[in-house]
Amino acid sequence: MINKSKFDVVEPLESFLNDSRFVDISRSAAHMRFIGILQQNNGKEVPEDILQHIYNETLMHFLATAKSDEEYDRDRRNFDARVWPELHERLRWNFGAAQFTLECSVHSRYIATCLLDMVNHPALLIPMGHGIGHTVDDRLEAIPMDDAAIRFMKDPSFSLFRFRNKASASVLVKAKTILMIGGGSAFTLIARGYPLGELDQKIVIYDMDAEMPRYLEMMLGCPLEEAGIEYRVADFREVFTDSAQADKYDAIEMLGVAAYYFDDLDELFGGICYAAAPGAKLVFDSQVMSAPTLPFDKVIMGWNTRQGDREMHVDNTVDEAKDTIYAACERNGLRVLRYTVEEIDAPAGVVFFAEKPTP
């Protein structure tokens, strides 16, 4: 049975973020300051006593917020074994990341783990954007509103996850067979109460991260099969040459994918058209991420913007993104129906809705 209340945090989180009393930090100033600290100390090693101070402060926060001595002991053991060895080495040569960790991570149960997920399991940042944190003992849980991680929910990277995934549910809910390229989007469906397992749908997910099914089942509280999900640890491009999947899917979602195929959009959209049934609906996005958000995510948070030999492409303007996508879709037999833009301080992403026309 799918557990619908375990992570019921999205509504209170959005209510909190939209409260007129919420005082947001200045993203540009904060991001540039941490980047500047890194540049000023480029090539220098962070002193061990600073790293030890970060470690001690983190444990003090665990102690202050633990519900019991047993919980603190568990958190400390897991932090020592699973988190700190890798985090220590990442911070050792990055003064900006060390300063960020000292100011923010030590006051949170989830940010340190987030810094590792940024490198090892990027899809886990999607539930983080919905107020669901990854604990040091490898669980997913609702982030309390008094944890420092909540301060970053308005950051363009996290708010973009909420924006683009909210937009897809209206397309998916009407389909019977769904192709989902990238497993991270499924986290949003679960967090936002999408009726998985109740609509007689078959959802096929392609993702190369073999750990994602386990985390999705943590959120669901049941096996993926009970929610109508088939998870394939494989390159999604296998679909494009599989005759059994030609004209198969009523809906296709690929969020966070097109930006890596800027030089091969015809391969991407041609393959999507091959797999889409006539009349199928598609939802996908393009990145319009302005400085300093992207540099901060890369050099301070450690986000790797490469997938194999592909580097993520970021459009400069919404018009630039629109012109590129419209042209690529038209060349490959798809028709863009509409698009919507996420506005924060500046545009951060564009979500497109398209279809494969019926003959």
Side-chain angles (χ1 to χ4, degrees):
M1 183 66 180
I2 297 173
N3 189 335
K4 295 184 177 180
S5 60
K6 184 178 179 182
F7 300 101
D8 187 15
V9 69
V10 174
E11 189 172 318
L13 172 65
E14 292 194 341
S15 176
F16 177 70
L17 295 177
N18 293 325
D19 192 312
S20 61
R21 297 168 297 177
F22 181 87
V23 179
D24 195 14
I25 63 177
S26 172
R27 300 295 160 192
S28 179
H31 289 354
M32 287 305 299
R33 184 167 65 84
F34 293 126
I35 293 170
I37 292 170
L38 170 62
Q39 292 172 333
Q40 292 163 18
N41 296 277
N42 192 27
K44 298 178 183 177
E45 185 174 5
V46 176
E48 184 60 34
D49 61 343
I50 293 179
L51 296 175
Q52 185 64 38
H53 185 58
I54 291 172
Y55 172 84
N56 292 342
E57 286 288 296
T58 302
L59 291 185
M60 281 297 295
H61 181 75
F62 286 164
L63 178 61
T65 56
K67 298 181 178 65
S68 66
D69 291 342
E70 291 77 14
E71 182 179 61
Y72 170 72
D73 290 340
R74 180 197 69 199
D75 287 344
R76 179 168 185 164
R77 286 195 305 272
N78 282 287
F79 187 72
D80 287 345
R82 297 184 60 253
V83 178
W84 184 245
E86 182 179 345
L87 186 59
H88 177 279
E89 289 309 299
R90 281 192 52 201
L91 299 180
R92 194 155 66 97
W93 297 101
N94 190 323
F95 266 84
Q99 186 65 33
F100 169 80
T101 305
L102 184 58
E103 293 184 19
C104 303
S105 178
V106 298
H107 305 297
S108 171
R109 285 182 163 269
Y110 312 97
I111 294 178
T113 313
C114 173
L115 291 172
L116 302 190
D117 289 335
M118 185 78 76
V119 176
N120 301 322
H121 301 292
L124 282 180
L125 302 177
I126 294 177
M128 179 80 168
H130 292 274
I132 297 166
H134 187 192
T135 67
V136 295
D137 62 338
D138 201 27
R139 293 177 296 109
L140 298 178
E141 65 182 24
I143 300 173
M145 292 298 171
D146 58 357
D147 190 275
I150 295 295
R151 298 172 60 202
F152 298 94
M153 294 303 101
K154 279 197 174 182
D155 186 277
S157 298
F158 290 121
S159 61
L160 180 60
F161 294 142
R162 293 193 296 276
F163 166 77
R164 71 187 189 188
N165 291 105
K166 275 195 299 185
S168 70
S170 61
V171 171
L172 302 184
V173 74
K174 300 174 184 178
K176 290 299 181 184
T177 54
I178 298 169
L179 173 63
M180 190 174 289
I181 296 175
S185 297
F187 286 117
T188 297
L189 298 184
I190 301 167
R192 305 196 75 86
Y194 186 90
L196 288 166
E198 300 177 13
L199 300 176
D200 191 28
Q201 292 181 318
K202 176 64 176 295
I203 300 176
V204 179
I205 297 176
Y206 277 78
D207 197 299
M208 295 299 289
D209 190 338
E211 288 292 298
M212 283 302 104
R214 182 167 63 87
Y215 291 113
L216 287 170
E217 289 182 345
M218 282 186 195
M219 288 191 65
L220 282 168
C222 71
L224 295 182
E225 294 78 14
E226 290 185 21
I229 296 174
E230 178 183 348
Y231 192 105
R232 300 179 182 178
V233 182
D235 188 325
F236 68 85
R237 288 175 296 181
E238 292 182 7
V239 179
F240 302 167
T241 57
D242 182 355
S243 60
Q245 300 196 68
D247 299 326
K248 179 177 180 179
Y249 297 98
D250 301 322
I252 299 177
E253 179 191 84
M254 52 173 189
L255 298 174
V257 174
Y260 292 94
Y261 280 79
F262 181 74
D263 295 324
D264 299 292
L265 286 177
D266 288 339
E267 176 192 357
L268 179 64
F269 287 121
I272 291 299
C273 188
Y274 175 81
K281 298 298 186 287
L282 297 81
V283 58
F284 53 92
D285 66 332
S286 181
Q287 305 296 314
V288 185
M289 197 172 291
S290 57
T293 295
L294 187 57
F296 172 80
D297 286 345
K298 291 182 67 170
V299 305
I300 302 302
M301 302 293 280
W303 180 28
N304 181 8
T305 57
R306 296 189 66 85
Q307 290 186 0
D309 60 350
R310 300 177 186 273
E311 175 71 26
M312 187 182 80
H313 171 81
V314 179
D315 289 306
N316 294 317
T317 66
V318 171
D319 286 341
E320 180 181 303
K322 182 171 75 75
D323 290 346
T324 300
I325 294 297
Y326 270 67
C329 284
E330 184 176 0
R331 289 195 304 270
N332 291 282
L334 302 173
R335 178 169 59 214
V336 178
L337 302 174
R338 62 186 176 90
Y339 67 93
T340 182
V341 180
E342 186 209 28
E343 292 280 357
I344 310 173
D345 297 328
V350 188
V351 174
F352 295 90
F353 299 86
E355 69 176 0
K356 177 179 178 178
T358 55

